[in-house]
Amino acid sequence: MGTPQFPDLGKHCTREDCKQIDFLPFTCDRCLQVFCLEHRSYAKHGCPKADRQDVTVVICPLCAKGVRLNPDEDPNISWETHVNTECDPSNYEKVTKKRKCPVRGCREVLTFSNTIKCRDCTIDHCLKHRFGPDHDCPGPKKLEAGFQFLSLLNRSRKEESKPNKTPAASSTKWASAFRNAASTVRASAEAGVAKLSTEISQAWQTAKSPAGPSSSNGRDAIGLEEECPQCGARFSSVMVLVEHVQKVHERSANQSRVLKLPVDVCPKCSKGFRDPVALVEHVERDHGGTSKA
């Protein structure tokens, strides 16, 4: 069997009444035996496992679903499993009931090649009644007035249609000028507060330092009077001096700072603001960033 160059080339046919040597043998994918060209099919060599991979489907008369029968299982068991688990009789009408054209008097069955969906009413019709006048098409559905998307769309269109009264460059310059003025006012106020706090801390340190019977500023050795650095008033103790500074000078300084702050008036609505930054934010938020009347 074979040739001197290929001694293993070719095999005998497995069929008893053939045994023919075939140099291109065929192996059955069911019984895994070797056959010649003539006996390669299942029917020719009588394959005992020919139905092992066959697929048999039975349509259920209750739900119109396909039930697959396993070749290694009794068909009655497969049927009982389907009935007890997945059988749904309500599906029978959905599968077997054929759709028809909704036009009155038309009995045309709607199939895959005989169905046209109207673009206006989105209802399937047959080819004969595919046009709007043929099936009395009511036309496209109108959007409801309370639909949120419609209101948002109208609002965006109104905002786009509004003309831009002043250029963005002038608004930016005006806002930057107000911010610079506000920063200057804030810097001067903070400097005044820092100076006052420095003077109070110096007076407190002076009061804490030990004093002899005779002091350089001519204080009485018996009374130890304390002098206010702001108004020159004298007090018998440091605590009284601190209370005097907090009640008189700090309160008056705060009131003077509040009263001395300039009041800026909005050129659009004549509303007054002590803080220029607040005026800038008001104009940008309520008047669209423009200062021109």
Side-chain angles (χ1 to χ4, degrees):
M1 185 174 61
T3 61
Q5 291 81 6
F6 303 98
D8 297 332
L9 183 62
K11 292 183 180 180
H12 288 279
C13 181
T14 310
R15 191 175 176 85
E16 294 294 336
D17 57 351
C18 180
K19 296 295 183 181
Q20 181 182 356
I21 298 176
D22 198 328
F23 292 102
L24 294 174
F26 295 88
T27 303
C28 180
D29 58 350
R30 305 293 175 84
C31 61
L32 303 179
Q33 293 184 2
V34 179
F35 298 95
C36 62
L37 178 62
E38 183 180 357
H39 300 101
R40 70 182 185 278
S41 63
Y42 303 142
K44 288 293 184 179
H45 67 266
C47 184
K49 300 180 180 179
D51 58 346
R52 182 64 60 84
Q53 297 182 359
D54 292 345
V55 177
T56 303
V57 178
V58 179
I59 303 299
C60 177
L62 300 178
C63 63
K65 291 184 179 180
V67 181
R68 181 173 180 175
L69 302 179
N70 298 323
D72 297 336
E73 188 179 22
D74 188 3
N76 296 325
I77 298 177
S78 301
W79 178 258
E80 289 181 1
T81 303
H82 163 72
V83 172
N84 296 329
T85 56
E86 59 183 3
C87 185
D88 186 10
S90 63
N91 188 55
Y92 184 81
E93 293 184 359
K94 298 179 182 179
V95 177
T96 58
K97 187 177 181 180
K98 297 181 180 179
R99 294 190 308 157
K100 294 183 179 181
C101 182
V103 178
R104 185 176 182 180
C106 182
R107 297 184 178 181
E108 189 72 21
V109 178
L110 297 180
T111 59
F112 177 76
S113 60
N114 190 29
T115 304
I116 297 294
K117 179 177 288 187
C118 180
R119 291 182 296 179
D120 295 333
C121 61
T122 64
I123 300 177
D124 294 336
H125 297 84
C126 63
L127 295 177
K128 183 179 178 181
H129 302 98
R130 63 184 181 274
F131 297 110
D134 296 333
H135 62 265
D136 297 334
C137 183
K141 296 181 180 180
K142 296 182 180 180
L143 295 176
E144 297 180 0
F147 193 57
Q148 297 181 359
F149 177 75
L150 185 60
S151 61
L152 293 176
L153 182 61
N154 295 333
R155 187 184 303 174
S156 63
R157 288 178 179 176
K158 290 180 181 179
E159 292 178 357
E160 290 178 358
S161 62
K162 289 182 180 179
N164 196 2
K165 295 182 181 180
T166 56
S170 61
S171 176
T172 305
K173 292 180 180 179
W174 180 77
S176 61
F178 265 97
R179 288 193 180 94
N180 294 333
S183 61
T184 304
V185 173
R186 284 186 176 180
S188 60
E190 291 175 357
V193 173
K195 182 178 179 181
L196 181 61
S197 62
T198 303
E199 293 176 355
I200 293 175
S201 62
Q202 290 178 357
W204 183 259
Q205 294 294 332
T206 305
K208 283 186 176 181
S209 60
S214 60
S215 57
S216 60
N217 55 0
R219 294 177 183 174
D220 190 6
I222 300 174
L224 290 179
E225 294 181 351
E226 301 293 339
E227 183 179 1
C228 177
Q230 297 291 330
C231 61
R234 295 179 177 274
F235 301 92
S236 60
S237 63
V238 177
M239 297 304 296
V240 178
L241 172 61
V242 173
E243 292 179 359
H244 163 73
V245 172
Q246 291 178 352
K247 291 181 180 180
V248 178
H249 298 293
E250 288 186 357
R251 184 177 300 174
S252 60
N254 293 333
Q255 292 178 356
S256 63
R257 283 198 299 272
V258 172
L259 295 176
K260 290 181 181 179
L261 286 177
V263 178
D264 297 318
V265 180
C266 177
K268 300 289 287 186
C269 61
S270 302
K271 187 176 181 181
F273 295 89
R274 297 187 183 277
D275 190 0
V277 177
L279 175 59
V280 174
E281 294 176 353
H282 161 71
V283 173
E284 291 180 349
R285 181 180 65 253
D286 299 335
H287 303 295
T290 175
S291 62
K292 295 182 179 181

